[in-house]
């Protein structure tokens, strides 16, 4: 049954990692397959070009309600239980470069979300090819940041969502962006150990990155955590040192849970995803996470962090 009463409590999507069995149910909002196959017609199934470093698991989002889904031009979408998933894939060749591709992708998503009931974007993911290619202001990630803010329309004007931006090793001209939105605003959470990304000084590029460190989802004790790395203040810490970066990243994750006013720590109720620059580090990353926070589901994927000196980044969810 559908109920549009704005006072209705919307249970947040549950995210978990499952063996690939191929079958989605009527309450599946989205399913992510980490490999480089083309995405099938079912709009909810998105192939993400970040190879898994470990068991063949899918990331599945389930909602408390019946899901409908479809396509709208280049966009794929699904909605149910008060939540909206939308995704777009853009090829740079059709737009001129990484900046124009990002502007186009964000423009399409902004317009789509602005017309939806679920117009409050809580969380967004960005995967672009060759993210660290180019020097100084010409690095492709920095061009992406400029295009992203240009394409962000009114729906992002109240504040930036939590986000992840990672480099993939698939077709270097492919930009993939997907989001989770609902019908009420969440609460943005910043990390007291870090300068807010939109206030980064000029040395990191002409356009500071537009994201919040986390979002506390409306009406639920759920924290959606942005890509988190060994950044302290605005500086990268422990360049080239995996163990020290993991330790610093864990401190940042703990600080976000505290700032988000949830009980300390991670565990079975906190699925995490680790983006690992060097596939040889995957075991060390998984071991670190499960020693520090036993029973935490952790998926490791091969991806590049947007600062060349960083080796690992972790994002995820914290349910109460
Ligand atoms: C950082 O803390 C690391 O540009 O959307 C993390 C999460 C990072 C999101 C983004 C970038 C983004 O600055 C990089």
């Amino acid at each position: 049954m559908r109920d549009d009463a704005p006072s209705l409590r919307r249970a947040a999507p549950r995210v978990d990692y499952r063996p690939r069995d191929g079958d989605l149910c009527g309450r599946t909002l989205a399913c992510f397959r980490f490999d480089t196959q083309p995405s099938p017609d079912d709009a909810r199934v998105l192939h993400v070009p970040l190879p898994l470093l470990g068991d063949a698991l899918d990331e599945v989002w389930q909602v408390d309600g019946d899901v409908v889904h479809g396509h709208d031009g280049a966009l794929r979408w699904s909605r149910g239980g008060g939540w909206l998933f939308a995704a777009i894939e853009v090829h740079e060749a059709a737009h001129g470069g990484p900046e124009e591709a990002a502007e186009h992708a964000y423009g399409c998503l902004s317009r789509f979300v602005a017309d939806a009931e679920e117009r409050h974007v809580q969380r967004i993911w960005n995967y672009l090819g060759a993210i660290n290619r180019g020097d100084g202001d010409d690095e492709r990630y920095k061009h992406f940041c400029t295009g992203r803010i240009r394409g962000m329309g009114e729906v992002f004007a109240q504040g930036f969502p939590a986000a992840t931006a990672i480099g993939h090793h698939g077709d270097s001209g492919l930009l993939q962006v997907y989001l989770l939105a609902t019908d009420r605003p969440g609460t943005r959470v910043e990390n007291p150990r870090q300068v807010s990304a939109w206030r980064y000084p000029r040395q990191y590029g002409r356009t500071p990155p537009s994201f919040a460190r986390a979002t506390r989802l409306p009406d639920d004790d759920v924290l959606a955590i942005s890509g988190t790395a060994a950044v302290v203040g605005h500086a990268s810490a422990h360049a080239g040192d995996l163990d020290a970066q993991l330790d610093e990243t864990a401190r940042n994750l703990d600080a976000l849970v505290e700032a988000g006013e949830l009980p300390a720590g991670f565990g079975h109720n906190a699925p995490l995803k680790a983006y690992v620059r060097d596939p040889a580090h995957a075991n060390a990353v998984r071991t670190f996470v499960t020693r520090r926070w036993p029973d935490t589901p952790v998926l490791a994927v091969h991806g590049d962090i947007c600062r060349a000196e960083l080796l690992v980044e972790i994002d995820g969810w914290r349910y109460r």
Side-chain angles (χ1 to χ4, degrees), residues 302-314:
H302 181 205
D304 292 341
I305 293 76
C306 64
R307 293 184 182 192
E309 64 278 12
L310 295 176
L311 298 170
V312 63
E313 184 171 305
I314 296 176

Side-chain angles (χ1 to χ4, degrees), residues 18-49:
R18 294 190 191 166
R20 266 186 205 176
D21 53 21
D23 279 343
L24 304 191
C25 82
R27 299 189 160 209
T28 301
L29 188 70
C31 173
F32 304 92
R33 304 235 151 104
F34 296 92
D35 61 29
T36 51
Q37 301 288 309
S39 297
D41 276 347
D42 187 319
R44 301 170 296 170
V45 182
L46 191 67
H47 284 258
V48 172

Side-chain angles (χ1 to χ4, degrees), residues 126 141 148 163-165 200 209 211 213 227 231 306-307 313:
N126 308 275
Y141 171 63
R148 167 169 59 180
T164 296
Y200 279 175
F211 68 98
R213 298 293 178 183
V231 172
C306 64
R307 293 184 182 192
E313 184 171 305

Side-chain angles (χ1 to χ4, degrees), residues 31-294:
C31 173
F32 304 92
R33 304 235 151 104
F34 296 92
D35 61 29
T36 51
Q37 301 288 309
S39 297
D41 276 347
D42 187 319
R44 301 170 296 170
V45 182
L46 191 67
H47 284 258
V48 172
L50 302 175
L52 278 171
L53 302 171
D55 297 338
L57 298 171
D58 287 340
E59 177 181 334
V60 180
W61 297 358
Q62 295 284 126
V63 291
D64 195 9
D66 293 334
V67 171
V68 292
H69 54 90
H71 294 83
D72 185 327
L75 279 173
R76 45 173 67 224
W77 59 268
S78 65
R79 54 163 49 94
W83 295 87
L84 172 70
F85 163 73
I88 190 167
E89 290 182 322
V90 168
H91 291 273
E92 281 172 25
H95 299 280
E99 208 164 300
E100 294 82 358
E103 181 173 358
H104 180 77
Y106 271 80
C108 292
L109 287 167
S110 294
R111 285 189 293 276
F112 182 74
V113 169
D115 286 339
E117 214 172 285
E118 310 88 342
R119 67 176 58 83
H120 297 279
V121 180
Q122 312 284 314
R123 183 68 175 87
I124 194 157
W125 290 258
N126 308 275
Y127 303 123
L128 58 149
I131 194 168
N132 301 129
R133 193 197 292 155
D135 294 324
D137 282 352
D138 239 1
E139 190 182 29
R140 283 166 54 83
Y141 171 63
K142 291 167 186 161
H143 285 292
F144 161 79
C145 286
T146 300
R148 167 169 59 180
I149 195 112
R150 284 208 190 113
M152 280 181 159
E154 279 298 301
V155 293
F156 294 99
Q158 316 128 319
F160 303 126
T164 296
I166 288 289
H168 67 70
H169 292 273
D171 167 1
S172 68
L174 173 72
L175 170 67
Q176 188 179 63
V177 183
Y178 61 87
L179 60 78
L180 175 70
T182 189
D183 53 4
R184 273 167 289 173
T187 306
R188 280 172 291 280
V189 175
E190 289 300 302
N191 182 345
R193 306 182 77 239
Q194 298 180 314
V195 172
S196 291
W198 66 87
R199 297 201 172 113
Y200 279 175
R202 175 65 181 86
Q203 73 199 81
Y204 299 100
R206 285 163 294 137
T207 313
S210 32
F211 68 98
R213 298 293 178 183
T215 306
R216 178 86 182 242
L217 303 185
D219 298 339
D220 222 334
D221 297 333
V222 181
L223 193 65
I225 301 170
S226 290
T228 302
V231 172
V232 181
H234 55 71
S236 303
H238 321 296
D241 182 341
L242 179 71
D243 292 336
Q245 286 191 19
L246 281 167
D247 223 62
E248 204 69 70
T249 300
R251 278 195 282 269
N252 282 329
L253 290 167
D254 280 332
L256 279 169
V257 169
E258 190 182 343
E261 297 175 0
L262 284 168
F266 291 80
H268 70 277
N269 55 353
L272 299 180
K273 189 140 77 268
Y275 305 89
V276 182
R277 185 183 292 277
D278 179 350
H281 289 159
N283 277 333
V285 169
R286 270 193 301 265
T287 303
F288 174 90
V289 171
T290 48
R291 277 208 186 122
R292 178 131 179 164
W293 300 302

